[in-house]
Amino acid sequence: MVTSAQCLKKYGAPELEANMILWDVPTEIETGVIPNKLYCNKDMVAPLTAAFTNLITRKLVDELKTFDGCFNIRKKRGLTSMSLHSWGIAVDINAFENGLGQTPKLSGGFVKCFTDAGFDWGGLWKRLDGMHFQLKTI
Ligand SMILES: [Zn+2]
């Protein structure tokens, strides 16, 4: 799993916002609540393109009800290490029903759209974080 130490080494301090871009999401993958523009790490463009394309081709877009953010400089909730959101390499989805410590509601098919595209899913962690997808490697 990618660590905050690896991010610090590759991207520098989160406040530098190195590698961050305002990604103009291609029209063909803007559907449902998929954002038109997304402030994220450059390294997210290819994996998110793949994940959103998977949602569309597998007809699972309707399951994406809320897109709850990407870049946010903060510590992991309740912990001291920095969240990977601090470097814009994680996204939260359907937060209202996939809260920290709650049994995730996302379907296996939906999750697979992201894991097939190069993301780790927080719903498999000991500390359940079902809304959270982050890059598997950087
Ligand atoms: Zn998250």
Side-chain angles (χ1 to χ4, degrees):
M1 200 190 307
V2 175
T3 64
S4 53
Q6 285 175 292
C7 292
L8 202 54
K9 191 169 172 198
K10 179 164 184 184
Y11 305 122
E15 292 76 14
L16 297 174
E17 299 184 31
N19 235 45
M20 295 295 297
I21 57 161
L22 184 61
W23 178 37
D24 189 355
V25 178
T27 312
E28 60 270 23
I29 54 171
E30 278 172 22
T31 179
V33 299
I34 292 173
N36 300 342
K37 287 188 195 297
L38 177 50
Y39 190 59
C40 64
N41 193 298
K42 265 191 284 201
D43 293 350
M44 287 285 266
V45 171
L48 278 181
T49 299
F52 293 160
T53 302
N54 287 341
L55 289 179
I56 292 163
T57 58
R58 300 175 194 179
K59 304 194 187 318
L60 291 165
V61 172
D62 289 350
E63 204 181 321
L64 175 49
K65 293 171 189 144
T66 62
F67 187 88
D68 300 293
C70 176
F71 178 68
N72 185 5
I73 299 177
R74 62 172 171 79
K75 294 195 163 64
K76 290 178 183 162
R77 281 160 290 173
L79 302 173
T80 53
S81 58
M82 294 302 286
S83 161
L84 298 199
H85 286 285
S86 304
W87 290 276
I89 62 163
V91 292
D92 291 331
I93 285 167
N94 294 4
F96 71 99
E97 59 178 13
N98 293 277
L100 194 64
Q102 295 175 354
T103 303
K105 294 260 172 65
L106 292 173
S107 71
F110 185 97
V111 169
K112 200 165 185 299
C113 290
F114 282 80
T115 54
D116 284 353
F119 289 89
D120 279 330
W121 180 46
L124 295 175
W125 298 345
K126 200 153 75 177
R127 196 173 87 124
L128 291 170
D129 192 1
M131 73 180 82
H132 182 91
F133 294 90
Q134 65 181 45
L135 289 185
K136 203 187 296 274
T137 56
I138 59 169

